């Protein structure tokens, strides 16, 4: 859509592979945790807040990031969209695509639960709130010029 490719895009796919392996490791650890609703709700809330701030840091640092965060960030800087709008639109598009693919190929919406829908609807708002806090208190800039040129 932006009709340009940056070197950081290639790096972001490598980071995605590493991220996938890390997720698998954390999933193994999380399987050992209690499965009670209050504990799961507390974990979800902690993860939601952590992700909102993590996304905000990724957007502001302008370093190569994971592909699913690169697309909204490009729309923020290239098109002037707000983080709230770009993230929510991107997440909802992905949710609809995954819902459709699950229904077409599996006959049911695989992996889409209440938490997935909640995140798709509200992660943009949470990230927008987090970035407004970060912008008030921090000046986040890459300190290594070569890294800044990658993205």
């Amino acid at each position: 859509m932006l009709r340009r490719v940056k070197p950081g895009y290639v790096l972001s796919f490598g980071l995605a592979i590493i991220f996938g392996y890390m997720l698998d490791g954390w999933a193994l650890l999380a399987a050992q945790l209690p499965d009670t609703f209050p504990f799961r709700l507390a974990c979800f809330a902690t993860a939601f807040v952590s992700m909102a701030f993590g996304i905000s840091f990724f957007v502001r640092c302008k370093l190569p990031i994971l592909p699913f965060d690169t697309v909204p960030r490009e729309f923020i800087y290239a098109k002037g969209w707000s983080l709230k709008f770009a993230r929510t639109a991107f997440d909802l598009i992905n949710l609809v695509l995954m819902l459709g693919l699950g229904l077409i190929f599996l006959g049911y919406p695989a992996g889409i639960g209440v938490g997935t829908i909640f995140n798709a609807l509200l992660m943009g708002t949470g990230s927008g709130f987090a970035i407004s806090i970060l912008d008030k208190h921090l000046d986040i800039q890459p300190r290594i010029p070569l890294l800044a040129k990658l993205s």
Side-chain angles (χ1 to χ4, degrees):
M1 221 171 182
L2 297 175
R3 296 193 174 112
R4 59 190 152 103
V5 177
K6 297 178 181 178
Y9 295 168
V10 176
L11 182 60
S12 71
F13 281 102
L15 292 172
I17 292 169
I18 294 167
F19 180 75
Y21 282 114
M22 290 176 65
L23 270 179
D24 291 344
W26 282 108
L28 289 173
L29 292 174
Q32 308 302 316
L33 297 174
D35 199 25
T36 63
F37 183 74
F39 185 79
R40 290 179 69 181
L41 189 60
C43 286
F44 183 84
T46 302
F48 183 86
V49 171
S50 298
M51 283 177 52
F53 275 93
I55 290 167
S56 300
F57 274 113
F58 277 140
V59 167
R60 284 296 186 244
C61 75
K62 299 179 186 168
L63 296 174
I65 55 177
L66 298 170
F68 53 83
D69 288 322
T70 301
V71 174
R73 183 177 70 183
E74 287 300 320
F75 282 112
I76 291 165
Y77 289 115
K79 303 289 185 186
W81 294 2
S82 70
L83 175 58
K84 176 182 175 181
F85 179 77
R87 185 80 220 185
T88 302
F90 185 70
D91 287 347
L92 288 175
I93 289 168
N94 284 318
L95 179 66
V96 169
L97 287 172
M98 292 312 301
L99 178 63
L101 289 172
L103 292 173
I104 290 168
F105 292 109
L106 301 173
Y108 63 95
I112 297 175
V114 174
T116 305
I117 296 167
F118 181 86
N119 270 339
L121 292 172
L122 296 178
M123 186 53 70
T125 301
S127 298
F129 178 73
I131 210 165
S132 68
I133 292 171
L134 293 178
D135 285 349
K136 287 179 189 174
H137 301 288
L138 299 172
D139 178 29
I140 303 170
Q141 298 294 325
R143 299 290 181 218
I144 302 170
L146 175 64
L147 291 176
K149 291 178 184 179
L150 289 175
S151 60

